[in-house]
C-alpha cells in the first residue's frame, strides 16, 4: 500500500491505495486541478492539494484516519456527478474518475 497526504482547506486527509494505482490517483487530481477553472458553474467543487506520497504511515493522533482509496474516489465521483455543468464537457472528467473507481472496485472484489 501507498499513502497519499492531501490538504483540503485547512484539513488533512490520508488516502490508502495499492502502489499500482497511486500514480493514477495523483495524475487524476492534477488533471482535475488543471480543468476545474474551465467549468462554467459558480459552485466549483473544492479539490485537495497533493502534499506527499509515502510507503509507510503511522498515525499518532486520533484526529486523523486513513481513508480507503475506493471510498475516496467514490466520494470524488459523487461530487463531480452532481454538478449541473452545461458548457464544459464534464463527461470526460467523470469517465476518468469512474475508470479508476472501477479498477479499485475490481481489486476489492479480488481480495
Amino acid at each position: 500500500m501507498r499513502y497519499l497526504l492531501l490538504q483540503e482547506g485547512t484539513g488533512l486527509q490520508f488516502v490508502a491505495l495499492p502502489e499500482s494505482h497511486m500514480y493514477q490517483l495523483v495524475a487524476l487530481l492534477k488533471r482535475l486541478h488543471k480543468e476545474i477553472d474551465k467549468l462554467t458553474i459558480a459552485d466549483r467543487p473544492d479539490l485537495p492539494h497533493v502534499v506527499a506520497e509515502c510507503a509507510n504511515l503511522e498515525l499518532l493522533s486520533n484526529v486523523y484516519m486513513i481513508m480507503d482509496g475506493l471510498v475516496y474516489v467514490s466520494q470524488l465521483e459523487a461530487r463531480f456527478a452532481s454538478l449541473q455543468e452545461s458548457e464544459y464537457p464534464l463527461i470526460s472528467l467523470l469517465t476518468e474518475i469512474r475508470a479508476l473507481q472501477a479498477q479499485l472496485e475490481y481489486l476489492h472484489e479480488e481480495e
Side-chain angles (χ1 to χ4, degrees):
M1 290 298 268
R2 300 277 304 171
Y3 301 92
L4 192 61
L5 171 58
L6 302 172
Q7 180 178 5
E8 192 161 359
T10 59
L12 297 175
Q13 287 184 301
F14 299 90
V15 178
L17 273 174
E19 184 174 1
S20 59
H21 291 78
M22 183 58 74
Y23 175 80
Q24 287 178 266
L25 179 57
V26 172
L28 174 63
L29 289 170
K30 287 181 179 183
R31 169 112 194 277
L32 292 175
H33 271 282
K34 182 179 168 186
E35 301 293 323
I36 196 81
D37 289 334
K38 296 177 183 176
L39 297 178
T40 61
I41 58 173
D43 293 330
R44 294 183 184 116
D46 291 328
L47 291 173
H49 294 279
V50 176
V51 176
E53 177 188 336
C54 56
N56 297 310
L57 179 66
E58 182 179 347
L59 293 178
L60 303 175
S61 170
N62 328 1
V63 175
Y64 300 105
M65 296 181 65
I66 299 172
M67 182 182 292
D68 181 74
L70 176 57
V71 172
Y72 180 78
V73 172
S74 295
Q75 289 176 356
L76 188 63
E77 190 277 338
R79 288 193 329 205
F80 276 83
S82 68
L83 297 178
Q84 300 299 314
E85 174 65 49
S86 60
E87 302 297 319
Y88 181 81
L90 189 61
I91 193 70
S92 65
L93 297 178
L94 278 170
T95 300
E96 288 185 46
I97 295 169
R98 289 173 178 157
L100 179 55
Q101 185 180 27
Q103 290 174 22
L104 294 174
E105 286 173 349
Y106 177 77
L107 283 177
H108 276 264
E109 289 173 6
E110 291 295 308
E111 290 179 355

